[in-house]
Amino acid sequence: MYDYKNFPDYNMVCIDARSFFSSCEAVRRGYNPLKVFLCVVGDKKRNGSIVLAASPRLKEVYGINTTSRLYEVPRLDHIHIVEANMAYYLDMSVRITRFLTKYVPYDAITQYSIDESWVYLGKSRIYGDKWNIARMIQREIWETFGIPTALGLGPNKLLAKLSLDLEAKKSKSGIAEITYEQVIEKVWPRNIEEMWGIGARMKIRLNNMGIYRMEQLAKTPIEVLRSQFGVMGEQLYWHAHGIDTSPPTHHFDQAGQKGFGHGITLLRDYGGGNGEDVKCMILELCEEVARRCRQAKRAARTVHLQIGYSRYEEKKGFSRSRTIGRATNVTMDIYAVAIGIFEENYQRHLVRTVYVSLTNLVSDEDIQLDLFEDVTKKHALGKVMDDIRAKYGSKALLRAASFTPAGTMVERSAKIGGHRA
């Protein structure tokens, strides 16, 4: 057991808006989110559409959750089935975040997802102790927005998140706490898959090492975990002891951003043959990451392409990077590098996921000129295209490939987070 006096107590609160999408829809329709039977789906016309959110009562009585499909939802008069409206959910999320600035400065709030965030209380006692602040936040979000919440308290982000997931979401009050001193009692008896950050593949690898519970993970020598998982193994070790050295606040700074990435899981398998439809998808992703790179006034020297094959293929895919001599943020330059990687590694398999990212960033003012190529003109053209899209919308200017059957940009431009806006 560690002497936790050497580790900081940041007084973190992890806030989760419970069944957020369904709660938003319930509020909009004048229902109580905790009593209504309601679920949100991506597309009501597709019987296999996945359930994005289900109200607590629908989960409790009918067992419908986010792993369910539309055809599993009973067609009863008192059950409301609605399509997702991401623009509305984003607006509600922003409003709740603004509300939290009543308690702490904006830079003390770290948004983890649309429905979850950390709040760094520090040593503030303006509203009493942390439990009193948690109760006030929970009550005021309910009274102001009609959204139920669960809150986890802890000395760092990790333990605040674990107290939320392991206890608060299941408790009657919706508020729980895990301190350093309670790690052995509350964390060690848990199965490893209950630890935040341990997914299915990591679980299998740990199980193969004879590790099934958090106590076993905590008692595994750090050298052993490091040899198996590298830096991630060290993090697993410290997390098993409730130790998280990440800073309590997060300041997003594009100038200091280390990379830009964008990927997509396709609605059907692409590829086979020479993969021309996959190349179309790669072009659309290169367009997006290049636009974001230009927007941040950055340029990249390294292009990364990751291809995930269909579940029907024996091989999983490939992930490759290539560093070029001259940094760029020009779409077609980035595309040329990505296609080079693709053609060298693609083996005519069916493709389901595509991901493109840019790293090794520099200021776009440092882009070197070329005697044989008008780099300035290509850069200016990209800027003009960005300005047109910013003013008239992302569909105002599309490449011809986006209008082919393989293109997805036209459909995606009408969505937020993969769902209707």
Side-chain angles (χ1 to χ4, degrees):
M1 187 68 180
Y2 282 91
D3 181 2
Y4 290 109
K5 292 179 182 178
N6 297 322
F7 296 95
D9 184 348
Y10 292 125
N11 279 326
M12 300 299 301
V13 180
C14 193
I15 304 172
D16 174 68
R18 306 178 74 170
S19 302
F20 185 55
F21 295 173
S22 66
S23 293
C24 287
E25 294 294 347
V27 169
R28 186 157 64 162
R29 288 164 168 75
Y31 299 119
N32 184 323
L34 298 175
K35 296 180 179 180
V36 70
F37 292 86
L38 185 149
C39 70
V40 179
V41 298
D43 186 350
K44 289 172 65 173
K45 296 178 182 178
R46 294 174 56 229
N47 212 25
S49 185
I50 195 167
V51 173
L52 301 175
S55 65
R57 287 290 286 158
L58 192 62
K59 292 178 183 177
E60 178 185 354
V61 177
Y62 296 99
I64 301 300
N65 53 47
T66 53
T67 63
S68 304
R69 299 282 179 170
L70 177 56
Y71 62 79
E72 299 178 81
V73 181
R75 299 306 199 269
L76 301 173
D77 291 342
H78 65 281
I79 295 179
H80 306 270
I81 301 174
V82 301
E83 287 189 347
N85 187 320
M86 296 305 294
Y88 176 63
Y89 310 150
L90 284 170
D91 178 67
M92 182 68 83
S93 178
V94 170
R95 289 166 58 195
I96 292 174
T97 300
R98 286 175 179 163
F99 158 80
L100 291 173
T101 60
K102 171 182 177 179
Y103 293 90
V104 295
Y106 180 75
D107 59 8
I109 303 168
T110 302
Q111 198 78 27
Y112 179 59
S113 65
I114 190 172
D115 61 349
E116 200 167 309
S117 59
W118 282 286
V119 174
Y120 169 46
L121 297 180
K123 298 183 183 301
S124 173
R125 292 292 182 271
I126 190 171
Y127 292 103
D129 65 18
K130 56 191 173 185
W131 273 87
N132 188 57
I133 296 174
R135 294 188 190 99
M136 289 180 68
I137 290 174
Q138 183 185 58
R139 183 178 67 252
E140 288 200 56
I141 291 178
W142 172 255
E143 293 175 350
T144 305
F145 304 101
I147 301 295
T149 55
L151 293 84
L153 310 179
N156 54 44
K157 287 181 177 178
L158 170 71
L159 290 181
K161 172 68 173 168
L162 289 179
S163 64
L164 171 71
D165 292 341
L166 301 180
E167 296 189 350
K169 290 181 179 180
K170 303 169 186 177
S171 71
K172 187 175 181 180
S173 68
I175 303 176
E177 179 181 19
I178 297 179
T179 65
Y180 283 129
E181 293 72 25
Q182 294 173 316
V183 169
I184 290 179
E185 170 195 351
K186 294 187 174 183
V187 177
W188 280 16
R190 299 284 183 166
N191 295 326
I192 54 173
E193 62 268 26
E194 296 181 83
M195 168 61 77
W196 175 50
I198 296 182
R201 291 186 180 180
M202 181 68 75
K203 174 191 173 185
I204 293 173
R205 293 183 65 183
L206 289 169
N207 286 170
N208 290 337
M209 295 172 63
I211 300 172
Y212 296 90
R213 291 182 297 107
M214 291 305 301
E215 181 178 5
Q216 294 173 305
L217 181 61
K219 293 181 177 179
T220 302
I222 191 171
E223 296 80 12
V224 174
L225 293 172
R226 188 190 299 120
S227 67
Q228 291 292 319
F229 304 102
V231 176
M232 182 62 73
E234 293 187 28
Q235 179 174 292
L236 287 171
Y237 177 83
W238 293 116
H239 279 192
H241 289 276
I243 296 169
D244 176 14
T245 58
S246 62
T249 61
H250 173 71
H251 303 280
F252 179 74
D253 177 12
Q254 281 193 319
Q257 188 166 346
K258 295 183 178 181
F260 299 93
H262 199 66
I264 187 171
T265 299
L266 302 162
L267 292 176
R268 60 177 175 82
D269 290 337
Y270 278 38
N274 58 9
E276 288 301 319
D277 50 357
V278 182
K279 294 178 182 178
C280 174
M281 193 66 256
I282 293 174
L283 176 57
E284 290 189 348
L285 295 176
C286 287
E287 185 86 85
E288 174 62 19
V289 294
R291 180 191 64 78
R292 289 167 55 196
C293 199
R294 290 190 295 267
Q295 189 177 48
K297 301 187 185 303
R298 310 290 279 171
R301 287 198 178 98
T302 302
V303 178
H304 177 80
L305 175 68
Q306 181 175 321
I307 297 291
Y309 291 146
S310 166
R311 63 178 178 174
Y312 301 110
E313 301 284 0
E314 292 184 4
K315 295 187 176 181
K316 294 181 179 180
F318 60 87
S319 178
R320 300 287 187 275
S321 298
R322 179 166 298 166
T323 298
I324 54 180
R326 186 183 69 216
T328 183
N329 56 22
V330 175
T331 298
M332 296 312 294
D333 290 350
I334 295 168
Y335 175 68
V337 178
I339 286 300
I341 297 173
F342 178 75
E343 292 179 340
E344 289 178 12
N345 296 275
Y346 179 60
Q347 299 176 344
R348 296 178 178 269
H349 294 300
L350 295 175
V351 173
R352 198 56 179 239
T353 61
V354 185
Y355 181 82
V356 174
S357 65
L358 305 177
T359 56
N360 201 0
L361 303 180
V362 299
S363 169
D364 64 358
E365 295 178 355
D366 296 333
I367 296 177
Q368 297 177 2
L369 299 181
D370 192 316
L371 292 174
F372 304 101
E373 187 176 13
D374 193 342
V375 176
T376 303
K377 184 176 180 180
K378 292 168 66 175
H379 184 270
L381 178 60
K383 180 65 168 60
V384 170
M385 293 171 68
D386 295 340
D387 290 344
I388 292 173
R389 288 172 179 143
K391 185 174 182 179
Y392 297 104
S394 57
K395 289 196 295 184
L397 197 60
L398 296 175
R399 296 182 185 274
S402 294
F403 292 97
T404 67
T408 63
M409 188 66 76
V410 175
E411 181 181 1
R412 285 193 292 134
S413 64
K415 296 181 178 181
I416 298 176
H419 305 287
R420 289 186 177 86

